[in-house]
Amino acid sequence: MDITTLTSKKSLVWWVIILIIFILLAFVPLYAPGYAAILLISILMYVILTVSWVMFSGSTGYMSLAPAVFFGVGIYASAIIGGKLPFPIVVGIGGLASFCLALLVGALTLRLRGIYFAIFTFGLVMLMAHSLLFWELHVTGTRGRFVIVMGYNTIYYYLLGIFVLLLLTAYLINRSRFGLALQSIGQEEDAAAHTGVNVTMLKVTTFAISAFFMGAAGAVMATKWTYIDPFIAFNPFYSFMPVVMAIFGGMGQLFGPIIGAVILTYLEEFLITKFAELYMLIFGTILVIAILYLPDGLVGLIQKMWNRYSERKHADT
Amino acid sequence: MPILEGKGVTKYFGGLVAVSNVDFKVEQGEALGLIGPNGAGKTTLFNLISAALVPKPGTIRFKGENITGLKPYKICRMVVARTFQLVKVFADMPALSNVILGSYFGMSPGMSSKDAVREATELLEFVGLSAVKGTPAKDLTLANQKRLEVARALATNPELLLLDEMMAGLNPTEVGQAMELVTRIRDKGITIIMIEHVMKAIMNVCERIIVLHHGAKIAEGTPQEIVTSKKVIEVYLGEKAHAGS
Amino acid sequence: MIVTFLDIVIAGLLMGGIYALIAVGLSLQYGVARVLNISHGEFIMIGAFGTWMLYKMVGINPLITLAMCGPVLFLIGFFLHKTLFRSLLASSASADIFEAKSMLASFGLLFIIQNIAILTWGADIKSYSYLNYGVNLGGALFAANRLVTLLFAVVISTAFYLFLAFTRLGKGIRAAAQDPRTAGLMGVNINQVLALCFGFGAVMAGLAGGLLSMCYPITTTMGMEYTIIAIIVVVLGGLGSIVGSFIGGFLLGIIGSIVTYIEPGLAMVSYYVIFIVLLLAKPTGILGK
């Protein structure tokens, strides 16, 4: 396409910048203090959840509140098989389990439109938590499980690896014809179907791919918490946060959700350590303000300001 | 063999019959008009043909092959394409991307991206939208959005094209352009079924007309036969004689 | 056997009364105002704690508090809609976008309200004893406060239903629930109606909270569970159907009571199973077309 050739020089610059960022990220644990590693782990976790969420919901417009389900499945997979198998396989199984569950859930429910789908996926989080609790109390006679422990640096590198894979996947999907088809589903699903797009197949597959990354992240994060129970693993909070972060950052560009996740996670950690008592109040207020005044997110706002600035510059000359 | 054939096609919504036991045949290369008062079941019949809905009972055959109950994307890839009464363009995508989507997915196997871009560019030129190919579809005029839908449908390489009220809401100049476009599509050898309230267009473009009323087929024939049919004048032209043209 | 069955049904009705009230409230907010209010349960919590505080500190009879609670919560709800949700409505390009945005905004409200509540009332469990004696009903003993709760839930819901059915404003609300645009064309002041509905929804939640506090221990984090139950009941009754929510509340109460009798741990699970099966099989609800 002619648009691509025009921007290829610019995109090369972007690739170099991204590469440098990742090289820097890879060296962070070697030099940064322990606290930074913990913060970066939280940031990476939310970035992965948010970008995976946007991969499906951002383009198709189906608001999924299921991230907590897939994240939780990964956590439990790690708790059950962690230590019995090499850890990379554990992470893979965590992701695959979520992938399979998402295929099933997607095939059943992706005909629900609008708010129904959101409500359904939210119900699913709670169903998982309550069913699992019942199972543990009445069948296995336990409450919760211990998970194998790993160092922060190891956790960090695993998350970084998942993030790189996720970004590549998201980038490739966006660039491919399937990215275009996903957008068309979000904008006019009926027309997409009548233009030859196999909408069901595409929705379910993308939903499952996004679930894979959430599950893999869950499998890694479980080792940080060392002890988990159904309500820690299947916490609706992990469903809402990615949505909030994506909206805060802005979904127009791939890096919008990343910026949203980074800023809000940092803010969360900062508030929890400094203003634990007011954390929810401040966070809630920011959320409401962001929804009210940042319709296209932070990135949208910056773009708007940039456009206005460059217009003024043009007007001056 | 007719390109499209319906037998006893029926559709109920709740207890109400929207399309009732309709038989039809469409011959290769012809332009068939579908008319009838509002609520006669025209768009429902289009939805049945394009598989947005499934007839119950009834069968639809495409070149002799039973296509009843197939998914819409399959129907589309089997070379039946459509436009919508209320335009359904991909609002935030540039016009070109709207059409490219058709080239990518409207046939199997889909085109390579290079071919798809070339094809879409040609089609935009064919419908007269070259100048706005980079414009998001939502910023186009209604007439241009309707042309964009036609280009998108053509990109799926159809043998049969269903046009749902392509002229509705257009001004006389635009209607003229649209009629000319339909004629050029026909000249490509594409069979057309069109729903239209603009009688002038139907009379000029179509060789044959089917009239629906309350979901049932009440008349079928050449434009001349239809305008002189007493039954049609009673139910249709009677109430719309002044509104139509 | 018959006594046990009666037991279960009455216990179900007692819980169902509260569910119905909560769900009617959410039904007004979601069915009419299109706000899937995740902070609905927080208004229940406010009602519960208000009642508890006035009883414990000043000695005001909880039933009197109910009467005072109503107007206060109405004003809160009304102005929330007039400010926050109104401007979201104005800035949203489509109904779907508004639904998503308003749901997330209400999630923010949940955070804000809960934090203020924890700062004010602390995070531990509170309770008080009111009308706490047994009443014999068909051979089974029921606490008087629960019977009062049921009575009030039914009276409040019925009164509200009559209001909807017979007053001019009530008819406007019902019209807006069915088709906001046409209702607007017919001269219903839509923005006013939506704000009123949101206010009434908050009142229902607050009253339910006050009633709950008479029978059960309360905490500042109790809201979420009731929000979820309200969502389930609203879906059960059909989104936008106020009568459906009312019936659905009692239905879910009885189902919960039966399941609790068989296996207490499965009550919540059964709610979700019903909810999910219903969403898949009949998303329009039990009374839906």
Side-chain angles (χ1 to χ4, degrees), chain A residues 54-77:
Chain A
V54 172
M55 186 194 268
F56 173 74
S57 295
S59 46
T60 62
Y62 280 79
M63 186 156 127
S64 160
L65 291 178
V69 174
F70 304 126
F71 191 59
V73 165
I75 291 175
Y76 255 81

PDB file of all heavy atoms in Angstrom, chain A residues 54-77:
ATOM      1  N   VAL A  54      -7.932  -5.299  24.903  1.00  0.00           N
ATOM      2  CA  VAL A  54      -8.181  -4.427  23.754  1.00  0.00           C
ATOM      3  C   VAL A  54      -8.151  -5.223  22.446  1.00  0.00           C
ATOM      4  O   VAL A  54      -8.906  -4.952  21.518  1.00  0.00           O
ATOM      5  CB  VAL A  54      -7.154  -3.284  23.712  1.00  0.00           C
ATOM      6  CG1 VAL A  54      -7.270  -2.488  22.424  1.00  0.00           C
ATOM      7  CG2 VAL A  54      -7.346  -2.368  24.901  1.00  0.00           C
ATOM      8  N   MET A  55      -7.273  -6.234  22.409  1.00  0.00           N
ATOM      9  CA  MET A  55      -7.136  -7.052  21.200  1.00  0.00           C
ATOM     10  C   MET A  55      -8.495  -7.569  20.746  1.00  0.00           C
ATOM     11  O   MET A  55      -8.821  -7.540  19.564  1.00  0.00           O
ATOM     12  CB  MET A  55      -6.212  -8.233  21.505  1.00  0.00           C
ATOM     13  CG  MET A  55      -5.861  -9.092  20.333  1.00  0.00           C
ATOM     14  SD  MET A  55      -5.133 -10.623  20.928  1.00  0.00           S
ATOM     15  CE  MET A  55      -3.437 -10.180  20.920  1.00  0.00           C
ATOM     16  N   PHE A  56      -9.320  -8.002  21.699  1.00  0.00           N
ATOM     17  CA  PHE A  56     -10.651  -8.478  21.327  1.00  0.00           C
ATOM     18  C   PHE A  56     -11.706  -7.387  21.443  1.00  0.00           C
ATOM     19  O   PHE A  56     -12.366  -7.030  20.475  1.00  0.00           O
ATOM     20  CB  PHE A  56     -11.047  -9.684  22.182  1.00  0.00           C
ATOM     21  CG  PHE A  56     -12.469 -10.099  21.958  1.00  0.00           C
ATOM     22  CD1 PHE A  56     -12.836 -10.754  20.795  1.00  0.00           C
ATOM     23  CD2 PHE A  56     -13.453  -9.806  22.890  1.00  0.00           C
ATOM     24  CE1 PHE A  56     -14.160 -11.112  20.568  1.00  0.00           C
ATOM     25  CE2 PHE A  56     -14.781 -10.159  22.668  1.00  0.00           C
ATOM     26  CZ  PHE A  56     -15.129 -10.811  21.508  1.00  0.00           C
ATOM     27  N   SER A  57     -11.846  -6.832  22.652  1.00  0.00           N
ATOM     28  CA  SER A  57     -12.971  -5.927  22.901  1.00  0.00           C
ATOM     29  C   SER A  57     -12.808  -4.581  22.209  1.00  0.00           C
ATOM     30  O   SER A  57     -13.785  -3.985  21.778  1.00  0.00           O
ATOM     31  CB  SER A  57     -13.151  -5.710  24.407  1.00  0.00           C
ATOM     32  OG  SER A  57     -13.524  -6.915  25.011  1.00  0.00           O
ATOM     33  N   GLY A  58     -11.580  -4.103  22.121  1.00  0.00           N
ATOM     34  CA  GLY A  58     -11.345  -2.799  21.521  1.00  0.00           C
ATOM     35  C   GLY A  58     -11.805  -2.748  20.083  1.00  0.00           C
ATOM     36  O   GLY A  58     -12.435  -1.786  19.651  1.00  0.00           O
ATOM     37  N   SER A  59     -11.505  -3.810  19.322  1.00  0.00           N
ATOM     38  CA  SER A  59     -11.865  -3.744  17.912  1.00  0.00           C
ATOM     39  C   SER A  59     -13.293  -4.212  17.654  1.00  0.00           C
ATOM     40  O   SER A  59     -14.010  -3.594  16.884  1.00  0.00           O
ATOM     41  CB  SER A  59     -10.879  -4.574  17.083  1.00  0.00           C
ATOM     42  OG  SER A  59     -10.674  -5.827  17.687  1.00  0.00           O
ATOM     43  N   THR A  60     -13.728  -5.277  18.322  1.00  0.00           N
ATOM     44  CA  THR A  60     -15.057  -5.808  18.002  1.00  0.00           C
ATOM     45  C   THR A  60     -16.165  -5.052  18.712  1.00  0.00           C
ATOM     46  O   THR A  60     -17.323  -5.174  18.347  1.00  0.00           O
ATOM     47  CB  THR A  60     -15.191  -7.281  18.402  1.00  0.00           C
ATOM     48  OG1 THR A  60     -15.018  -7.382  19.830  1.00  0.00           O
ATOM     49  CG2 THR A  60     -14.181  -8.142  17.704  1.00  0.00           C
ATOM     50  N   GLY A  61     -15.825  -4.309  19.778  1.00  0.00           N
ATOM     51  CA  GLY A  61     -16.859  -3.588  20.507  1.00  0.00           C
ATOM     52  C   GLY A  61     -17.640  -4.466  21.480  1.00  0.00           C
ATOM     53  O   GLY A  61     -18.564  -3.997  22.111  1.00  0.00           O
ATOM     54  N   TYR A  62     -17.288  -5.731  21.579  1.00  0.00           N
ATOM     55  CA  TYR A  62     -17.918  -6.596  22.580  1.00  0.00           C
ATOM     56  C   TYR A  62     -17.196  -6.383  23.902  1.00  0.00           C
ATOM     57  O   TYR A  62     -16.024  -6.737  24.035  1.00  0.00           O
ATOM     58  CB  TYR A  62     -17.799  -8.069  22.194  1.00  0.00           C
ATOM     59  CG  TYR A  62     -18.805  -8.504  21.170  1.00  0.00           C
ATOM     60  CD1 TYR A  62     -18.617  -8.211  19.832  1.00  0.00           C
ATOM     61  CD2 TYR A  62     -19.939  -9.203  21.543  1.00  0.00           C
ATOM     62  CE1 TYR A  62     -19.540  -8.600  18.876  1.00  0.00           C
ATOM     63  CE2 TYR A  62     -20.873  -9.608  20.607  1.00  0.00           C
ATOM     64  CZ  TYR A  62     -20.667  -9.305  19.283  1.00  0.00           C
ATOM     65  OH  TYR A  62     -21.582  -9.689  18.348  1.00  0.00           O
ATOM     66  N   MET A  63     -17.887  -5.776  24.870  1.00  0.00           N
ATOM     67  CA  MET A  63     -17.210  -5.459  26.121  1.00  0.00           C
ATOM     68  C   MET A  63     -17.142  -6.702  27.005  1.00  0.00           C
ATOM     69  O   MET A  63     -18.119  -7.095  27.638  1.00  0.00           O
ATOM     70  CB  MET A  63     -17.929  -4.338  26.854  1.00  0.00           C
ATOM     71  CG  MET A  63     -17.165  -3.916  28.069  1.00  0.00           C
ATOM     72  SD  MET A  63     -17.603  -2.248  28.479  1.00  0.00           S
ATOM     73  CE  MET A  63     -18.034  -2.438  30.147  1.00  0.00           C
ATOM     74  N   SER A  64     -15.978  -7.308  27.042  1.00  0.00           N
ATOM     75  CA  SER A  64     -15.803  -8.510  27.850  1.00  0.00           C
ATOM     76  C   SER A  64     -15.404  -8.132  29.264  1.00  0.00           C
ATOM     77  O   SER A  64     -14.490  -7.347  29.465  1.00  0.00           O
ATOM     78  CB  SER A  64     -14.724  -9.390  27.226  1.00  0.00           C
ATOM     79  OG  SER A  64     -14.224 -10.283  28.191  1.00  0.00           O
ATOM     80  N   LEU A  65     -16.106  -8.689  30.249  1.00  0.00           N
ATOM     81  CA  LEU A  65     -15.673  -8.538  31.638  1.00  0.00           C
ATOM     82  C   LEU A  65     -15.119  -9.876  32.116  1.00  0.00           C
ATOM     83  O   LEU A  65     -15.173 -10.204  33.300  1.00  0.00           O
ATOM     84  CB  LEU A  65     -16.815  -8.055  32.525  1.00  0.00           C
ATOM     85  CG  LEU A  65     -17.260  -6.612  32.263  1.00  0.00           C
ATOM     86  CD1 LEU A  65     -18.427  -6.226  33.146  1.00  0.00           C
ATOM     87  CD2 LEU A  65     -16.109  -5.643  32.489  1.00  0.00           C
ATOM     88  N   ALA A  66     -14.599 -10.660  31.188  1.00  0.00           N
ATOM     89  CA  ALA A  66     -14.096 -11.985  31.517  1.00  0.00           C
ATOM     90  C   ALA A  66     -12.605 -12.051  31.835  1.00  0.00           C
ATOM     91  O   ALA A  66     -12.135 -13.125  32.204  1.00  0.00           O
ATOM     92  CB  ALA A  66     -14.424 -12.956  30.389  1.00  0.00           C
ATOM     93  N   PRO A  67     -11.830 -10.982  31.718  1.00  0.00           N
ATOM     94  CA  PRO A  67     -10.400 -11.140  31.991  1.00  0.00           C
ATOM     95  C   PRO A  67     -10.122 -11.875  33.304  1.00  0.00           C
ATOM     96  O   PRO A  67      -9.234 -12.727  33.363  1.00  0.00           O
ATOM     97  CB  PRO A  67      -9.881  -9.696  32.051  1.00  0.00           C
ATOM     98  CG  PRO A  67     -10.745  -8.970  31.123  1.00  0.00           C
ATOM     99  CD  PRO A  67     -12.110  -9.611  31.250  1.00  0.00           C
ATOM    100  N   ALA A  68     -10.895 -11.569  34.343  1.00  0.00           N
ATOM    101  CA  ALA A  68     -10.665 -12.219  35.630  1.00  0.00           C
ATOM    102  C   ALA A  68     -10.846 -13.732  35.533  1.00  0.00           C
ATOM    103  O   ALA A  68     -10.180 -14.490  36.242  1.00  0.00           O
ATOM    104  CB  ALA A  68     -11.586 -11.642  36.691  1.00  0.00           C
ATOM    105  N   VAL A  69     -11.737 -14.180  34.659  1.00  0.00           N
ATOM    106  CA  VAL A  69     -11.941 -15.617  34.489  1.00  0.00           C
ATOM    107  C   VAL A  69     -10.670 -16.256  33.942  1.00  0.00           C
ATOM    108  O   VAL A  69     -10.148 -17.226  34.488  1.00  0.00           O
ATOM    109  CB  VAL A  69     -13.112 -15.913  33.530  1.00  0.00           C
ATOM    110  CG1 VAL A  69     -13.216 -17.398  33.238  1.00  0.00           C
ATOM    111  CG2 VAL A  69     -14.412 -15.383  34.098  1.00  0.00           C
ATOM    112  N   PHE A  70     -10.160 -15.682  32.857  1.00  0.00           N
ATOM    113  CA  PHE A  70      -9.006 -16.299  32.196  1.00  0.00           C
ATOM    114  C   PHE A  70      -7.737 -16.138  33.026  1.00  0.00           C
ATOM    115  O   PHE A  70      -6.912 -17.047  33.102  1.00  0.00           O
ATOM    116  CB  PHE A  70      -8.858 -15.716  30.797  1.00  0.00           C
ATOM    117  CG  PHE A  70     -10.114 -15.874  29.988  1.00  0.00           C
ATOM    118  CD1 PHE A  70     -10.732 -14.797  29.387  1.00  0.00           C
ATOM    119  CD2 PHE A  70     -10.709 -17.126  29.863  1.00  0.00           C
ATOM    120  CE1 PHE A  70     -11.910 -14.954  28.672  1.00  0.00           C
ATOM    121  CE2 PHE A  70     -11.878 -17.292  29.153  1.00  0.00           C
ATOM    122  CZ  PHE A  70     -12.483 -16.202  28.555  1.00  0.00           C
ATOM    123  N   PHE A  71      -7.610 -14.987  33.647  1.00  0.00           N
ATOM    124  CA  PHE A  71      -6.496 -14.757  34.560  1.00  0.00           C
ATOM    125  C   PHE A  71      -6.546 -15.789  35.692  1.00  0.00           C
ATOM    126  O   PHE A  71      -5.548 -16.433  36.015  1.00  0.00           O
ATOM    127  CB  PHE A  71      -6.630 -13.336  35.124  1.00  0.00           C
ATOM    128  CG  PHE A  71      -5.434 -12.833  35.871  1.00  0.00           C
ATOM    129  CD1 PHE A  71      -4.196 -12.749  35.261  1.00  0.00           C
ATOM    130  CD2 PHE A  71      -5.556 -12.427  37.188  1.00  0.00           C
ATOM    131  CE1 PHE A  71      -3.099 -12.269  35.949  1.00  0.00           C
ATOM    132  CE2 PHE A  71      -4.467 -11.932  37.889  1.00  0.00           C
ATOM    133  CZ  PHE A  71      -3.236 -11.863  37.264  1.00  0.00           C
ATOM    134  N   GLY A  72      -7.734 -15.978  36.245  1.00  0.00           N
ATOM    135  CA  GLY A  72      -7.918 -16.918  37.351  1.00  0.00           C
ATOM    136  C   GLY A  72      -7.642 -18.359  36.957  1.00  0.00           C
ATOM    137  O   GLY A  72      -7.053 -19.126  37.725  1.00  0.00           O
ATOM    138  N   VAL A  73      -8.056 -18.729  35.747  1.00  0.00           N
ATOM    139  CA  VAL A  73      -7.790 -20.093  35.275  1.00  0.00           C
ATOM    140  C   VAL A  73      -6.280 -20.322  35.221  1.00  0.00           C
ATOM    141  O   VAL A  73      -5.777 -21.365  35.640  1.00  0.00           O
ATOM    142  CB  VAL A  73      -8.437 -20.325  33.892  1.00  0.00           C
ATOM    143  CG1 VAL A  73      -7.892 -21.573  33.232  1.00  0.00           C
ATOM    144  CG2 VAL A  73      -9.946 -20.425  34.033  1.00  0.00           C
ATOM    145  N   GLY A  74      -5.553 -19.322  34.738  1.00  0.00           N
ATOM    146  CA  GLY A  74      -4.096 -19.417  34.705  1.00  0.00           C
ATOM    147  C   GLY A  74      -3.526 -19.572  36.107  1.00  0.00           C
ATOM    148  O   GLY A  74      -2.633 -20.396  36.347  1.00  0.00           O
ATOM    149  N   ILE A  75      -4.046 -18.789  37.036  1.00  0.00           N
ATOM    150  CA  ILE A  75      -3.577 -18.851  38.422  1.00  0.00           C
ATOM    151  C   ILE A  75      -3.783 -20.247  38.989  1.00  0.00           C
ATOM    152  O   ILE A  75      -2.874 -20.849  39.575  1.00  0.00           O
ATOM    153  CB  ILE A  75      -4.334 -17.802  39.278  1.00  0.00           C
ATOM    154  CG1 ILE A  75      -3.915 -16.385  38.884  1.00  0.00           C
ATOM    155  CG2 ILE A  75      -4.077 -18.035  40.760  1.00  0.00           C
ATOM    156  CD1 ILE A  75      -4.694 -15.289  39.579  1.00  0.00           C
ATOM    157  N   TYR A  76      -4.971 -20.789  38.791  1.00  0.00           N
ATOM    158  CA  TYR A  76      -5.248 -22.112  39.339  1.00  0.00           C
ATOM    159  C   TYR A  76      -4.445 -23.203  38.641  1.00  0.00           C
ATOM    160  O   TYR A  76      -3.994 -24.159  39.277  1.00  0.00           O
ATOM    161  CB  TYR A  76      -6.752 -22.414  39.314  1.00  0.00           C
ATOM    162  CG  TYR A  76      -7.309 -22.296  40.717  1.00  0.00           C
ATOM    163  CD1 TYR A  76      -7.614 -21.054  41.246  1.00  0.00           C
ATOM    164  CD2 TYR A  76      -7.449 -23.408  41.541  1.00  0.00           C
ATOM    165  CE1 TYR A  76      -8.067 -20.918  42.541  1.00  0.00           C
ATOM    166  CE2 TYR A  76      -7.889 -23.291  42.840  1.00  0.00           C
ATOM    167  CZ  TYR A  76      -8.200 -22.040  43.338  1.00  0.00           C
ATOM    168  OH  TYR A  76      -8.621 -21.923  44.635  1.00  0.00           O
ATOM    169  N   ALA A  77      -4.266 -23.046  37.329  1.00  0.00           N
ATOM    170  CA  ALA A  77      -3.446 -24.031  36.612  1.00  0.00           C
ATOM    171  C   ALA A  77      -2.057 -24.075  37.233  1.00  0.00           C
ATOM    172  O   ALA A  77      -1.503 -25.146  37.495  1.00  0.00           O
ATOM    173  CB  ALA A  77      -3.368 -23.658  35.136  1.00  0.00           C
TER     174      ALA A  77
END
